[in-house]
Amino acid sequence: MFRYPFVVLMFLLNIFADPPPKVTNYLKSQKLCPEVQASFASRVIFGWFDQLIWKGYKKSLNVADLWDLRHQDTSAQIVRRFERIWAKYYGEDTEAVSSGGYKKFKSYGTLKNTSNVKKKRVTILWPTWGTFWGSIISAAAIKVIGDIVSFVNPHILNLMIQFVDSKEYMWRGLAYAIGLFIFAELQSIFYHQHLIAMYRVGLNWRIAITFAVYKKV
């Protein structure tokens, strides 16, 4: 009885986000994306996006109303990670230059003096997988959990049908009805979290491939 109120209090405190750090290595943004400073609950239900919807309701949106990209979604950050993984797989010459707390990898484009060197087959699949494997695995885990949750509702519906034909206590019927609602909401949450995660992976993957094409040209 003493522990339960503290658990509820911890849950309520987790709904609110911590203030942004005063010292950070991230570049300062003029229009910081609200998702960066949003709480866990706001990220789960996309509450940080509401302000843009209300602004679009009041007036027509334009480019100036959009936020800056998250730091990890910018091309500079993605290219830096991709260059590092590419050099790890294919050993191309890269030079690490420290600037403002970051390591910038300057690529020379091709291997030096490759006329007499036996060329190995190069594929872009493994460097891109090495760059984005964490995001892909996390999105796959969300998808698996969402699929498992989707199988719960039919079982609850079956229990509710059996409840109608039986003489069980009324509270069980209410529990089944509440369970249907909760698991339907969970299914929707996991589905949309997986959708946005894979959309970001696709966007970042396309940025890396575009960089590789321009570098090759």
Side-chain angles (χ1 to χ4, degrees):
M1 292 177 64
F2 281 105
R3 181 174 178 269
Y4 183 72
F6 288 103
V7 173
V8 175
L9 179 61
M10 290 174 60
F11 172 74
L12 294 177
L13 291 177
N14 281 316
I15 294 178
F16 302 95
D18 295 331
K22 296 181 179 179
V23 179
T24 177
N25 290 329
Y26 285 170
L27 299 176
K28 292 184 178 180
S29 176
Q30 297 294 332
K31 295 182 179 180
L32 185 65
C33 179
E35 183 184 6
V36 176
Q37 299 180 359
S39 64
F40 173 76
S42 179
R43 292 186 181 187
V44 167
I45 62 175
F46 301 100
W48 55 270
F49 195 72
D50 291 346
Q51 54 181 297
L52 188 64
I53 296 177
W54 283 109
K55 184 180 291 186
Y57 172 75
K58 295 177 181 178
K59 70 179 187 69
S60 298
L61 297 176
N62 51 47
V63 178
D65 296 320
L66 299 179
W67 307 300
D68 294 336
L69 289 172
R70 300 187 309 166
H71 177 71
Q72 56 266 41
D73 292 330
T74 57
S75 58
Q77 182 70 10
I78 294 171
V79 166
R80 185 181 297 115
R81 291 164 52 198
F82 179 76
E83 279 269 70
R84 185 167 58 249
I85 300 299
W86 182 276
K88 178 181 177 182
Y89 274 90
Y90 299 116
E92 291 196 0
D93 295 330
T94 57
E95 178 184 358
V97 181
S98 179
S99 174
Y102 293 99
K103 284 187 177 180
K104 297 182 178 180
F105 287 83
K106 178 183 178 182
S107 174
Y108 296 102
T110 57
L111 290 169
K112 295 181 179 179
N113 191 17
T114 58
S115 57
N116 298 323
V117 178
K118 184 179 179 180
K119 295 182 178 180
K120 58 183 178 180
R121 182 174 179 177
V122 176
T123 174
I124 202 171
L125 177 61
W126 298 118
T128 46
W129 166 257
T131 307
F132 307 114
W133 69 270
S135 301
I136 296 174
I137 293 298
S138 61
I142 294 174
K143 176 64 174 175
V144 170
I145 296 174
D147 289 343
I148 293 175
V149 171
S150 66
F151 285 105
V152 176
N153 262 356
H155 291 286
I156 297 179
L157 185 60
N158 182 39
L159 292 174
M160 181 173 287
I161 294 174
Q162 294 178 3
F163 167 78
V164 173
D165 295 333
S166 65
K167 297 182 179 180
E168 297 183 12
Y169 294 106
M170 182 62 66
W171 65 267
R172 291 189 177 182
L174 296 176
Y176 296 151
I178 295 174
L180 279 175
F181 172 76
I182 292 176
F183 281 100
E185 291 298 317
L186 288 176
Q187 182 181 354
S188 177
I189 288 173
F190 282 113
Y191 170 77
H192 288 95
Q193 288 295 331
H194 168 261
L195 192 66
I196 192 66
M198 291 307 300
Y199 177 79
R200 282 173 175 159
V201 169
L203 180 64
N204 296 344
W205 196 303
R206 185 169 59 186
I207 291 173
I209 294 178
T210 303
F211 158 75
V213 170
Y214 273 89
K215 173 185 170 184
K216 180 66 176 177
V217 172

